[in-house]
Amino acid sequence: MYRQVLDPVAGSLAWSSLVAAIPLLTLFVLLGILRMTAWLAALISLAVALVVAIVVYPMPAGPAFLAASEGAAFGFFPILWIVINAIWIYNMTVATGHFDVLRRSFARVSDDQRLQGVIIAFSFGALLEALAGFGTPVAITSVMLIALGFRPIKAAAVALVANTAPVAFGALAVPITTLATVTGLPLHDLSSMVGRQTPVLGVFVPLALVFIIDGRRGLRQTWPAALVCGVVFALAQFATSNYVGAPLTDIVAALLSAGAMVLFLRVWHPAESYVEGTGVRTTTAGAAGAAGAERAGGSTTTMERPARPPAGGAGNGGERDSGAEVFRAYAPYLIIIAVFALAQIPAIKDALTSVTKTFNWPGLHIQSSSGKPSTLSQFKFDWLDAAGTLLIIAGLLTIPVIGIRPARALRAYLATYHQLATAIVTVMAVLALAYVMNASGQTATLGTWMAGAGGVFALISPILGWLGVAVTGSDTSSNSLFGALQVVAANKAGLSATLLAAANSSGGVLGKMISPQNLAIAAAAVGMTGREGDLFRRVLVWSLVFVAVMCLLVYLQSTAVLGWMVP
């Protein structure tokens, strides 16, 4: 039995925290400064974490390596199990040509890539996050953006930044339900509180996306549509999380924001239509006037622009698809929604969970610093109820609908493992690192040290969640790590436990874009394996800016200024 020690360095929590941070600093330096490939950086950082656990913390080598093995197993199941099967469904649609139909359908909403990026990466990505989470939206939407003509690094960056506001309620609100479990706080209170924090992000993320795509000009020309999308998403997320239920929050917000964009673009268009690498089309009439002239059968004067490259050749002109083809293109995602919805019916859910096995990882026995048995060594193998398994079921149902031969579907499945090979190594290594830090006490050392800030802790509370997601790649895992600690810190400082627990989840979503796990998935999806460091530097500033905004919001909510927002 290993009992955690939080201050192994000279009995000082501060000095111990500096040492405990070494594995994380190693990971970020290797990725962001030395530009090392993610799988190698993750393995080196894992080795550093093991050394710190064994040499600095009094953790024997056996339990340390067992903790690493449990983390690697968790990295594959359930996390990679979701991503692999989601990408498999996508790969089948590519093989049959139905993905091209879907791409053309999205493109017909607008031929402006700035708006396409918002619809696909933000709204459609939020729907994927609501259903599966764990990197699935980043993997699928980044490839969709490439098909519309985006450069790979820009497509990946847009997908990563977009995967923020929906994350707290992702995978049918698993992060929130996990937070309620580990803190003992009412689920509805936590859902309501998070629903009064992340919608603020939802308003600004679409604006950030158009800035990433086309800079200040893009923001100046497309802010009305981006703002409509963000505001509708934020209002829907707030209303659903507070008055309907956490699991449906992102589904409702995603569908309503996409619908609002489609309707708004029927009456408004930007003055210039942006297509990367081909220049811009400029209308001499106003944007709304141009749309009206087109509907009236008139025309507007435009500057000629070079033809769009084949990769982005899904415009309002060109090839038209039949209604049946469009339906089959959307069918895989409709099937996914139906399968996940049916899985929530109590009788079906009970049947799926009846075969779930929860067991202690063999040979791993851990006590917290207070002497209580730790749940870190418990492994939940919900093989039938897992989101990845539901995606396999959806994939099997998709096969006859899109008309792909079973043998070809099997080849696509095997090819998916080959495509994600380095991402698989990266994710398993990062989760192994996280489990070693958790089991040895390194993570608890960092959290406890930060929690000693007293009343000021409200200002830095979201950073703890941000740190947890940056390491594990999962808001669910971050809530498991730090949820209870946030409550303890809140009680010591006389702050709202509901506020700080929710801040852990809301701040955590902003660490998603810099998580090595997500960076590896994005890089593999767009063919940039080995350049995860480039992606890291491209999105780091956005992560820091947004987490600073969240810190300020939570701090104000802890005072009389915005205290009325706390349920």
Side-chain angles (χ1 to χ4, degrees):
M1 179 70 70
Y2 167 67
R3 182 170 179 173
Q4 295 176 344
V5 176
L6 303 187
D7 54 356
V9 181
S12 168
L13 197 59
W15 284 110
S16 300
S17 295
L18 289 176
V19 176
I22 291 176
L24 300 181
L25 293 175
T26 301
L27 183 61
F28 292 143
V29 168
L30 293 179
L31 277 178
I33 298 178
L34 300 183
R35 304 187 183 187
M36 185 175 293
T37 186
W39 68 267
L40 184 56
L43 288 175
I44 293 175
S45 301
L46 170 59
V48 172
L50 286 167
V51 170
V52 171
I54 297 170
V55 176
V56 179
Y57 284 74
M59 190 176 197
F65 280 96
L66 283 173
S69 67
E70 183 186 7
F74 182 79
F76 187 84
F77 185 95
I79 295 176
L80 285 166
W81 187 236
I82 296 171
V83 176
I84 290 168
N85 296 320
I87 297 296
W88 169 55
I89 295 175
Y90 158 76
N91 283 341
M92 287 195 294
T93 66
V94 171
T96 58
H98 289 93
F99 180 77
D100 289 330
V101 178
L102 181 68
R103 171 174 55 84
R104 287 191 288 270
S105 176
F106 274 115
R108 289 190 185 100
V109 176
S110 172
D111 63 354
D112 191 307
Q113 286 186 339
R114 298 167 296 193
L115 302 179
Q116 292 171 354
V118 173
I119 295 171
I120 293 173
F122 185 71
S123 295
F124 186 60
L127 181 61
L128 294 175
E129 180 67 36
L131 298 172
F134 295 105
T136 304
V138 171
I140 293 180
T141 61
S142 59
V143 179
M144 292 179 73
L145 293 176
I146 287 180
L148 288 168
F150 283 71
R151 288 185 295 118
I153 192 168
K154 183 176 286 187
V158 169
L160 286 166
V161 174
N163 191 221
T164 48
V167 169
F169 294 98
L172 298 173
V174 168
I176 304 296
T177 55
T178 300
L179 185 62
T181 300
V182 300
T183 61
L185 297 173
L187 173 63
H188 178 71
D189 288 355
L190 291 173
S191 174
S192 298
M193 190 66 249
V194 175
R196 301 176 193 192
Q197 293 171 339
T198 57
V200 175
L201 299 174
V203 172
F204 293 104
V205 168
L207 297 170
L209 298 183
V210 298
F211 184 87
I212 293 172
I213 296 170
D214 192 29
R216 294 178 181 175
R217 178 182 62 180
L219 186 60
R220 184 175 62 252
Q221 294 179 352
T222 62
W223 70 264
L227 192 61
V228 165
C229 182
V231 168
V232 171
F233 181 91
L235 291 175
Q237 196 177 54
F238 163 76
T240 309
S241 62
N242 277 264
Y243 305 114
V244 180
L248 295 176
T249 298
D250 277 348
I251 295 176
V252 173
L255 294 176
L256 289 182
S257 64
M261 275 281 282
V262 171
L263 292 176
F264 186 71
L265 292 176
R266 290 182 178 273
V267 298
W268 180 91
H269 291 280
E272 296 178 344
S273 183
Y274 173 82
V275 178
E276 187 168 328
T278 63
V280 296
R281 179 180 66 196
T282 306
T283 62
T284 56
E294 291 171 356
R295 290 192 301 275
S299 62
T300 59
T301 303
T302 65
M303 293 175 56
E304 292 296 326
R305 69 178 181 188
R308 186 180 296 191
N316 294 321
E319 185 175 352
R320 305 292 296 186
D321 302 298
S322 67
E325 284 298 308
V326 172
F327 174 77
R328 280 194 289 271
Y330 280 92
Y333 303 100
L334 296 175
I335 291 172
I336 290 173
I337 293 173
V339 168
F340 275 83
L342 289 172
Q344 301 309 306
I345 296 175
I348 297 177
K349 189 170 185 64
D350 289 343
L352 294 175
T353 56
S354 64
V355 295
T356 296
K357 301 294 183 184
T358 301
F359 57 91
N360 287 325
W361 198 253
L364 186 60
H365 306 285
I366 301 172
Q367 287 182 345
S368 67
S369 58
S370 62
K372 296 179 180 179
S374 172
T375 59
L376 288 172
S377 59
Q378 289 186 354
F379 192 89
K380 184 179 180 181
F381 187 53
D382 53 344
W383 63 273
L384 191 54
D385 186 47
T389 304
L390 296 180
L391 284 170
I392 279 194
I393 295 172
L396 294 175
L397 294 174
T398 296
I399 290 175
V401 174
I402 64 176
I404 186 173
R405 295 190 304 274
R408 193 178 185 189
L410 178 60
R411 287 197 298 272
Y413 190 73
L414 297 176
T416 302
Y417 278 86
H418 183 266
Q419 172 189 350
L420 297 176
T422 55
I424 290 172
V425 174
T426 302
V427 172
M428 293 179 70
V430 168
L431 266 296
L433 177 151
Y435 266 66
V436 170
M437 291 187 65
N438 298 342
S440 63
Q442 295 172 59
T443 304
T445 295
L446 289 168
T448 304
W449 175 66
M450 293 177 66
V456 183
F457 184 66
L459 184 64
I460 62 175
S461 173
I463 297 177
L464 201 55
W466 175 84
L467 179 66
V469 176
V471 175
T472 66
S474 165
D475 201 37
T476 301
S477 297
S478 178
N479 288 343
S480 298
L481 292 178
F482 296 132
L485 183 64
Q486 295 273 13
V487 172
V488 172
N491 292 332
K492 287 182 178 178
L495 300 169
S496 167
T498 299
L499 171 63
L500 296 197
N504 192 84
S505 192
S506 298
V509 306
L510 302 169
K512 190 87 168 177
M513 67 180 84
I514 62 168
S515 163
Q517 169 187 314
N518 250 25
L519 291 171
I521 291 170
V526 301
M528 289 180 54
T529 299
R531 295 183 59 191
E532 292 84 0
D534 294 339
L535 278 178
F536 175 78
R537 288 189 301 277
R538 197 174 181 97
V539 301
L540 177 61
V541 172
W542 291 104
S543 180
L544 295 176
V545 168
F546 280 135
V547 80
V549 171
M550 184 57 65
C551 287
L552 179 60
L553 175 63
V554 172
Y555 177 72
L556 292 176
Q557 288 176 333
S558 72
T559 68
V561 178
L562 294 179
W564 51 269
M565 297 180 68
V566 180

